[in-house]
Amino acid sequence: MPTRKAARRGKLERLTPDQEALLPAVRDEWIAIGLDTRPSDRPAAERGVAEMYRRGGLEPPTRIVWCGSPLSMALTRAMVLDRAKGRDSVWDSVRDSVWDSVRDSVWDSVWDSVRDSVRDSVRDSVWDSVWDSVWDSVRDSVWDSVGASVRDSVWASVWDSVGDSVRDSVWDSVWDSVRDSVGDSVWDSVGASVGASVWASVWDSVGDSVRDSVWDSVWDSVRDSVGASVGASVWASVWDSVGGQHDSNWLAHFDFFQRIGLTRQTEKLAGLWQLARAAGWALPHERICWVSERPNLLQLEAVPARGPFANQLHCEDGPALRYPDGWAIYSWHGVRVNEDVITCRPSSITTKRILGERNAEVARVLLERMGAERFATEADGAKVVHRDIDGNGNGSRLLSIPMPNMPDREARVVVVQCPSTDRQYVLGVPPWVATCQAAVAWTFGVDEPGKKDGELIMLKEQ
Amino acid sequence: MTLEMYRHGDVGLVRCDALPLNAQREDPPQPDIVLAYGEVTGHAHRILAPHKVSLWNAGQQRYILVEDAPATLTHEEHGPMTLEPGVYEVRIQREYGLGGEIRNVAD
């Protein structure tokens, strides 16, 4: 099979030392891009958007509209498209149900972007009057005028998402041609040293949370009212989006190949690279492309246990991620929680609130903020299962606290004293543990110290 | 069989008869052997000047081998602990969460 042989011979099967040395540089550069919190470089991003359309075989959009966050981008699209398609009634219900749960500043941003999106279709005077007026009183009448004029416009029917062309098909084609040009081991090693690291640092910690939060912000509010159709619209926004800076893992992977000479194979990514370096998410449609700002605040902590580049969102006293329009994500060691869970005073957290919290992760965050010691002291109905004196003469207690909402129906904790620091601390243990020593042993991976043929001796503790 | 266990803060050491057959020696990148770093504090469970101490891996498990002379395990917050010659399996303390998940204890 001569052709196949020739193709194989042309494959890049090994990296040179210089190319190897480029791996960490590309990795670090794209991690920095992915975590960038500076304001967008709008002219550069808009050039990137145009390039992205051209590389996807499309005319650049006639209009690029900036949004304050991925959430306001999704809401803007839902408003404009649902209006444009005449689905007023759906949106009206959503607007009413989502209204209260999203900050005013986000609505200001949405409004701004909606106005930019339909500007030419509505007389300026209408907008002026909206803009100068108080929200509640004018929104309905404004929507009536926007709805009528937009519905009649020709472009309303052709504003379909072009995410497939500018993103998916570009990815597929670049993927295939790079894959044809490099051997398995090179592909894998670049993937491991660049793509996987950037993924752990950027997407796994930030991008994924942003996507889920956009969804949750709307879904939590609408699922009990109109649910499906608007949920679908926002969901589609999330999936139609180009991740911009948060796509940096794959962009980094292919950027490396571009820099070592596979320029022809990767050229279609030019626009996506440029956009990612300059802005946040984008939502490309046939005539219009919505582009989101980058976050302006990002609080991360490293998670060495998950690898040298792994991050998670964490801030103990404020948002862990915030966009310029005020939309924010609160997170405690990577667990996304409502604002109140982070900002309430620890002294205001009661055992009752923790016991009543249905989400185990949120209960854990509240427990950590309250302090396990206080929780063990104040919890109603806590039962002492076992008492013991450890090798250093300190008392320890095994407690069972009824928690009807949790999977185990109880929290079993061992309260021990550290012999070096004298600090008391509380460790969660499984409900089947029956003695203090068995509880401590379990925390060190010794599951059954009480077995007949085995005996655990804790010789020294420091 | 009796299980001998030593505890140094959130690091546990379980005495073993010998290294597993598949154990591979790990070359520590720094002069001291570090068993665990505190995620928040950056404090470390560290074996000082480990001329006669080596770190081994077998799958997910880690072992330390103390040869000839006793070694000293230190930490910024905990008292030093002397380890007699022998093989120890390293256990990092874990915790059972309210949802039934098991995670390492954050130091």
Side-chain angles (χ1 to χ4, degrees):
Chain A
M1 302 235 285
T3 44
R4 198 166 155 206
K5 251 186 176 169
R8 285 175 69 87
R9 202 179 305 134
K11 279 196 178 186
L12 177 68
E13 295 289 359
R14 184 171 303 156
L15 298 179
T16 67
D18 283 352
Q19 291 169 339
E20 293 268 2
L22 189 60
L23 288 167
V26 171
R27 176 196 70 207
D28 294 347
E29 184 182 325
W30 280 96
I31 288 175
I33 291 168
L35 303 180
D36 197 345
T37 53
R38 292 174 302 172
S40 298
D41 179 346
R42 293 191 173 192
E46 293 182 5
R47 286 194 299 274
V49 166
E51 189 66 22
M52 176 173 87
Y53 276 65
R54 279 193 289 269
R55 299 287 182 168
L58 300 171
E59 284 290 309
T62 46
R63 177 166 303 174
I64 292 172
V65 174
W66 284 86
C67 304
S69 68
L71 176 64
S72 50
M73 187 167 82
L75 291 172
T76 300
R77 177 176 103 149
M79 280 184 152
V80 172
L81 290 198
D82 285 333
R83 273 280 152 175
K85 289 174 181 170
R87 294 198 297 250
D88 298 6
S89 58
V90 173
W91 181 253
D92 286 347
S93 332
V94 176
R95 189 194 53 197
D96 290 342
S97 57
V98 181
W99 195 267
D100 292 337
S101 69
V102 176
R103 298 171 174 270
D104 289 349
S105 58
V106 174
W107 283 120
D108 287 347
S109 162
V110 170
W111 203 238
D112 226 353
S113 302
V114 169
R115 184 180 59 168
D116 286 349
S117 307
V118 298
R119 194 172 39 220
D120 299 340
S121 313
V122 181
R123 284 201 328 271
D124 284 349
S125 58
V126 175
W127 285 113
D128 291 345
S129 69
V130 175
W131 208 236
D132 297 338
S133 312
V134 183
W135 280 99
D136 282 354
S137 59
V138 297
R139 61 184 196 200
D140 293 335
S141 62
V142 166
W143 272 123
D144 288 345
S145 30
V146 174
S149 55
V150 169
R151 245 197 319 276
D152 294 343
S153 302
V154 189
W155 49 256
S157 59
V158 294
W159 274 16
D160 289 331
S161 165
V162 294
D164 282 353
S165 310
V166 302
R167 183 193 54 197
D168 301 345
S169 67
V170 165
W171 279 128
D172 289 349
S173 115
V174 171
W175 179 293
D176 289 346
S177 63
V178 172
R179 204 67 193 81
D180 284 346
S181 310
V182 302
D184 291 347
S185 67
V186 169
W187 175 265
D188 290 346
S189 81
V190 173
S193 55
V194 176
S197 303
V198 179
W199 185 84
S201 182
V202 177
W203 178 262
D204 195 32
S205 62
V206 183
D208 203 25
S209 296
V210 171
R211 186 182 65 189
D212 290 350
S213 301
V214 168
W215 173 240
D216 290 349
S217 297
V218 175
W219 184 243
D220 281 350
S221 314
V222 300
R223 69 178 154 211
D224 295 331
S225 45
V226 280
S229 58
V230 169
S233 173
V234 172
W235 189 229
S237 294
V238 169
W239 287 107
D240 287 346
S241 288
V242 171
Q245 64 174 163
H246 293 157
D247 273 340
S248 55
N249 53 323
W250 282 112
L251 293 171
H253 185 79
F254 291 114
D255 187 31
F256 173 81
F257 289 112
Q258 185 254 138
R259 291 198 208 182
I260 64 168
L262 301 186
T263 44
R264 183 183 48 77
Q265 292 90 332
T266 55
E267 64 189 3
K268 285 186 176 172
L269 290 179
L272 287 162
W273 275 324
Q274 203 174 343
L275 174 66
R277 289 174 189 278
W281 291 24
L283 199 44
H285 282 61
E286 200 165 334
R287 299 283 181 84
I288 189 168
C289 184
W290 288 283
V291 185
S292 165
E293 276 290 338
R294 291 192 276 229
N296 59 8
L297 177 136
L298 187 56
Q299 302 276 352
L300 293 168
E301 62 176 3
V303 193
R306 291 212 298 267
F309 301 99
N311 285 323
Q312 60 192 16
L313 289 169
H314 174 68
C315 182
E316 301 194 352
D317 54 7
L321 175 87
R322 192 186 58 218
Y323 279 86
D325 63 4
W327 183 58
I329 296 175
Y330 292 79
S331 175
W332 179 272
H333 298 301
V335 179
R336 274 191 305 118
V337 293
N338 288 333
E339 175 176 354
D340 170 62
V341 172
I342 296 289
T343 55
C344 70
R345 288 196 322 279
S347 60
S348 73
I349 301 172
T350 60
T351 55
K352 196 173 167 209
R353 176 167 178 194
I354 294 173
L355 297 175
E357 172 59 53
R358 300 187 79 84
N359 182 306
E361 284 293 302
V362 175
R364 174 169 77 80
V365 173
L366 289 167
L367 178 62
E368 285 179 21
R369 291 203 65 222
M370 177 184 193
E373 289 80 0
R374 211 185 102 212
F375 178 76
T377 316
E378 294 180 10
D380 283 337
K383 200 175 75 199
V384 178
V385 178
H386 184 241
R387 279 179 202 280
D388 203 359
I389 305 288
D390 67 23
N392 292 289
N394 293 316
S396 50
R397 286 173 297 152
L398 182 64
L399 303 177
S400 168
I401 299 155
M403 299 192 77
N405 289 333
M406 291 292 130
D408 291 326
R409 306 269 176 255
E410 68 163 290
R412 191 158 288 212
V413 297
V414 62
V415 185
V416 291
Q417 194 161 342
C418 173
S420 303
T421 60
D422 275 348
R423 270 203 296 257
Q424 271 212 335
Y425 60 105
V426 178
L427 293 168
V429 294
W432 60 83
V433 168
T435 68
C436 294
Q437 199 196 28
V440 173
W442 181 89
T443 66
F444 286 109
V446 183
D447 276 5
E448 296 175 45
K451 281 193 306 196
K452 282 202 178 98
D453 59 341
E455 189 186 353
L456 176 88
I457 307 177
M458 199 79 79
L459 282 171
K460 269 198 247 176
E461 293 187 90
Q462 275 298 339
Chain B
M1 196 194 98
T2 300
L3 204 56
E4 282 184 27
M5 184 157 159
Y6 298 80
R7 182 171 148 215
H8 197 240
D10 55 357
V11 170
L13 297 173
V14 176
R15 188 83 177 250
C16 310
D17 295 332
L19 285 168
L21 291 175
N22 62 339
Q24 308 252 335
R25 182 161 178 170
E26 181 181 318
D27 289 319
Q30 66 271 57
D32 297 335
I33 287 181
V34 173
L35 299 181
Y37 277 109
E39 280 184 20
V40 181
T41 57
H43 294 164
H45 297 273
R46 188 188 301 271
I47 297 174
L48 297 179
H51 307 298
K52 294 291 183 183
V53 183
S54 49
L55 198 54
W56 297 72
N57 288 311
Q60 296 293 307
Q61 293 297 340
R62 299 172 92 198
Y63 297 85
I64 50 178
L65 171 63
V66 181
E67 292 172 275
D68 301 338
T72 305
L73 181 58
T74 67
H75 186 271
E76 285 82 347
E77 290 180 337
H78 302 285
M81 177 179 277
T82 304
L83 298 173
E84 295 299 326
V87 175
Y88 301 85
E89 186 184 326
V90 181
R91 300 280 180 92
I92 303 299
Q93 195 165 32
R94 59 182 186 169
E95 187 176 16
Y96 187 87
L98 290 174
E101 77 284 3
I102 294 170
R103 58 177 180 265
N104 286 347
V105 171
D107 197 354

